[in-house]
Amino acid sequence: MNLKNKLSVNSTLLFAFTVGLLMAGSFLLFRSHMKDLYFDNLEDHAMTTALFYFEKDEIKEINSERYRQIEVQYNKISNESIRVYDAKTKKLYLHDNTGVKLSEQHLNAIVKNKILPFTINDRQFVGLFYKDNQGDFIIVVSGIDRAGNRQLEALGLMFLLFYLIGIPLNYFLGTFLSKQTFRPFEEVIAKVNTITTENLHSRLEIPQTSGKDEIKELATTFNYLLERLENGVMIQNNFLKNASHELKTPLTIIIGDIEVSLQQPRTTEQYEEILKTLKKDTLHLKATLDGLLVLSGLELSEPQQMEIVRLDEILWNVLEKKAIEYPESKVSVNLDAIAEEEDLLSVYANKHMLFIALYNILDNAIKFSTPAQVDIFAFSNKGKLEIKISDQGPGISDKDKESIFDLFFRSDTTRHIQGQGLGLFITIQILKLHNINIKVDSEVKKGTSFILTFPQKN
């Protein structure tokens, strides 16, 4: 069952329950009101009977025959029956021929309550305890509210008829309204079904309505999703194109070196030189593949195994590896500025990822600065830890600053230095995942500084 039918059925069920409850409640309330009105009417007749007969006549002058005649005449007028009892002896002076015998408990209850309405079967009774100068009497007036019952039957039939007509009418109206309501959704679905990877640039038309509108919000959200998908596909295509190029280049060089070396016999020294070149190109290829694997992991998931780590320990591990890789490098580390705030060096991060980020930044600084020195400083800025890594390399032009964190970007001024164009792109992804801000200060021929600002501890 689709949403349109569900909406129609549910609205009809709700209508049936609500209207049925209202009609039943109204019917029961009206019936109770009619019953109370008839009790009041019987009570008035009982009082009229008492005043008319006992105030004007003496009870001894009223014999059975006279009571019978009064009853006949009264029934012609009110369609009700009258009984008169002696309150003490419970003797019946007038019998109404209704066939209903009142128990002594009923009569005692009338004496106790003075006026007592009650019902036996479908007949309504009102008992009146009346004190007269001739004695105490119990007057019981009873009847069946035939006019009221006919009104109740008519009302019940009318409610039932309206109810039976209202349910299918509500269903058809609900179906019509649901079709009108869901028509914009059908248009959105039809438009979405036309979008493929070939036309991800397509966007849904935003309804020109004021205020909040579900269709407007849905179209806006889906357009935002399409924009992200388009950007993701574009990045993926560029990534595959650039990755294939970066992998093809060292492979081509390796194959070329091997083919040249096989063209003629070589000396041991020449083979050693060729092997060194092959090793260099192979390491370059391995570094590219490692970077791609790290990059793939960063794009697929959030950083895992977040914990409190010591930044200085990670920094010393990086420098230890760099010292082996670049024995001639010079790196100075100065943590004096935070000597009294040593706890700032404890940060919440993924140790492995933070190692990669610092490794990449220091790798660039050492490569571009050697044999000059690289300086590392730690500061405290408004309760936040700042790490500044400065080199004395060729610097970065204002034009290249906008692109240094792009995938596979290599500046024309540094292409002679070995690299894959992956390091800073991976670094910026890691820093974003850790909410670490990075700022680049650089001037051509005067060096570059990377300033990392860590988030403040809670």
Side-chain angles (χ1 to χ4, degrees):
M1 184 182 293
N2 57 34
L3 287 177
K4 289 185 291 187
N5 290 335
K6 284 184 179 179
L7 181 61
S8 301
V9 171
N10 289 337
S11 65
T12 303
L13 292 176
L14 181 62
F15 170 83
F17 174 77
T18 305
V19 174
L21 188 64
L22 289 174
M23 286 184 172
S26 300
F27 182 82
L28 293 175
L29 185 63
F30 184 75
R31 186 176 70 176
S32 175
H33 180 65
M34 292 291 294
K35 190 174 182 179
D36 290 342
L37 285 178
Y38 194 65
F39 274 132
D40 292 341
N41 184 53
L42 291 177
E43 184 179 332
D44 291 341
H45 289 173
M47 187 62 69
T48 301
T49 299
L51 293 174
F52 185 79
Y53 291 107
F54 290 110
E55 293 297 328
K56 291 187 176 182
D57 300 301
E58 297 292 330
I59 188 64
K60 63 183 180 179
E61 297 177 359
I62 303 178
N63 55 28
S64 300
E65 181 62 24
R66 186 177 177 188
Y67 269 113
R68 189 185 64 78
Q69 295 174 358
I70 293 172
E71 180 185 11
V72 171
Q73 296 299 321
Y74 194 84
N75 285 337
K76 289 181 180 179
I77 298 173
S78 63
N79 194 32
E80 293 160 357
S81 299
I82 304 169
R83 293 183 185 185
V84 179
Y85 293 87
D86 185 292
K88 293 182 179 179
T89 64
K90 305 300 187 295
K91 179 181 178 182
L92 181 62
Y93 286 99
L94 181 63
H95 187 63
D96 53 15
N97 298 319
T98 59
V100 178
K101 183 177 180 180
L102 297 183
S103 65
E104 189 170 346
Q105 286 81 3
H106 281 108
L107 298 176
N108 290 334
I110 294 172
V111 173
K112 180 179 179 181
N113 292 282
K114 309 304 181 187
I115 296 178
L116 179 66
F118 57 94
T119 303
I120 299 177
N121 297 328
D122 294 332
R123 195 173 191 86
Q124 293 176 248
F125 292 81
V126 169
L128 173 68
F129 177 68
Y130 188 79
K131 287 182 174 291
D132 187 64
N133 56 357
Q134 297 297 321
D136 297 338
F137 301 93
I138 299 174
I139 302 172
V140 178
V141 180
S142 67
I144 297 177
D145 188 11
R146 293 184 173 84
N149 290 339
R150 286 195 296 269
Q151 291 178 355
L152 282 175
E153 290 175 0
L155 180 65
L157 183 62
M158 182 176 63
F159 277 179
L160 181 61
L161 182 63
F162 287 164
Y163 187 71
L164 294 177
I165 294 176
I167 290 177
L169 180 62
N170 178 268
Y171 177 77
F172 289 122
L173 288 176
T175 302
F176 173 76
L177 291 176
S178 63
K179 287 181 179 179
Q180 297 299 316
T181 302
F182 281 92
R183 180 174 296 172
F185 288 95
E186 293 176 352
E187 295 174 356
V188 170
I189 293 172
K191 177 64 176 177
V192 169
N193 286 333
T194 64
I195 298 175
T196 64
T197 54
E198 303 298 327
N199 61 342
L200 280 175
H201 59 278
S202 300
R203 295 293 183 269
L204 300 180
E205 183 179 352
I206 305 296
Q208 301 300 319
T209 56
S210 59
K212 295 188 67 175
D213 181 86
E214 287 76 8
I215 300 297
K216 184 177 181 180
E217 291 183 4
L218 176 63
T220 302
T221 302
F222 195 81
N223 284 342
Y224 177 61
L225 173 63
L226 286 175
E227 183 177 348
R228 287 187 294 168
L229 284 175
E230 184 181 13
N231 292 335
V233 170
M234 187 181 300
I235 291 173
Q236 185 183 46
N237 291 336
N238 291 335
F239 175 81
L240 292 174
K241 181 176 66 176
N242 293 324
S244 62
H245 172 74
E246 291 296 322
L247 294 175
K248 186 185 295 182
T249 299
L251 283 173
T252 302
I253 294 173
I254 292 172
I255 293 171
D257 289 341
I258 293 174
E259 288 178 347
V260 170
S261 65
L262 292 175
Q263 287 178 357
Q264 59 183 8
R266 310 249 178 205
T267 64
T268 303
E269 291 77 11
Q270 289 175 328
Y271 279 122
E272 287 180 355
E273 289 299 323
I274 293 172
L275 289 174
K276 288 180 181 179
T277 303
L278 291 175
K279 179 182 178 182
K280 179 180 178 182
D281 292 334
T282 305
L283 290 174
H284 176 73
L285 180 60
K286 180 179 181 299
T288 302
L289 288 172
D290 289 342
L292 292 175
L293 290 174
V294 172
L295 181 61
S296 174
L298 287 175
E299 291 186 339
L300 290 176
S301 62
E302 294 291 322
Q304 302 296 319
Q305 299 178 351
M306 300 286 284
E307 57 184 343
I308 300 296
V309 297
R310 288 281 299 191
L311 189 62
D312 51 343
E313 293 179 2
I314 297 176
L315 196 57
W316 292 122
N317 288 336
V318 172
L319 292 176
E320 183 179 350
K321 293 186 178 296
K322 289 287 107 181
I324 298 173
E325 189 174 354
Y326 301 101
E328 70 282 4
S329 64
K330 298 177 183 177
V331 181
S332 171
V333 180
N334 189 334
L335 306 178
D336 294 342
I338 59 169
E340 297 181 358
E341 299 179 86
E342 188 179 351
D343 61 318
L344 288 177
L345 291 172
S346 297
V347 297
Y348 187 68
N350 181 293
K351 187 175 183 179
H352 174 66
M353 288 188 175
L354 198 54
F355 176 90
I356 293 174
L358 292 175
Y359 185 94
N360 290 336
I361 295 175
L362 279 168
D363 183 73
N364 283 345
I366 293 172
K367 283 193 300 186
F368 297 142
S369 190
T370 301
Q373 179 173 285
V374 174
D375 296 310
I376 302 175
F377 297 93
F379 302 96
S380 175
N381 183 7
K382 298 179 180 180
K384 296 181 179 180
L385 174 66
E386 286 191 353
I387 300 293
K388 182 177 181 181
I389 302 174
S390 302
D391 64 45
Q392 299 181 44
I396 305 172
S397 65
D398 293 337
K399 176 185 175 183
D400 289 343
K401 279 183 185 178
E402 300 176 358
S403 305
I404 60 172
F405 293 109
D406 292 347
L407 185 61
F408 295 121
F409 174 77
R410 297 293 306 279
S411 174
D412 293 335
T413 60
T414 59
R415 287 193 178 274
H416 62 284
I417 299 177
Q418 184 177 350
Q420 299 84 36
L422 286 170
L424 289 182
F425 180 82
I426 294 173
T427 298
I428 195 66
Q429 304 305 314
I430 294 174
L431 297 181
K432 285 180 179 179
L433 292 175
H434 287 76
N435 295 318
I436 300 173
N437 184 49
I438 184 168
K439 180 181 177 183
V440 181
D441 288 335
S442 185
E443 189 175 344
V444 177
K445 297 181 181 181
K446 291 189 177 180
T448 302
S449 294
F450 286 85
I451 303 169
L452 306 181
T453 303
F454 290 77
Q456 191 170 14
K457 295 181 180 179
N458 296 328

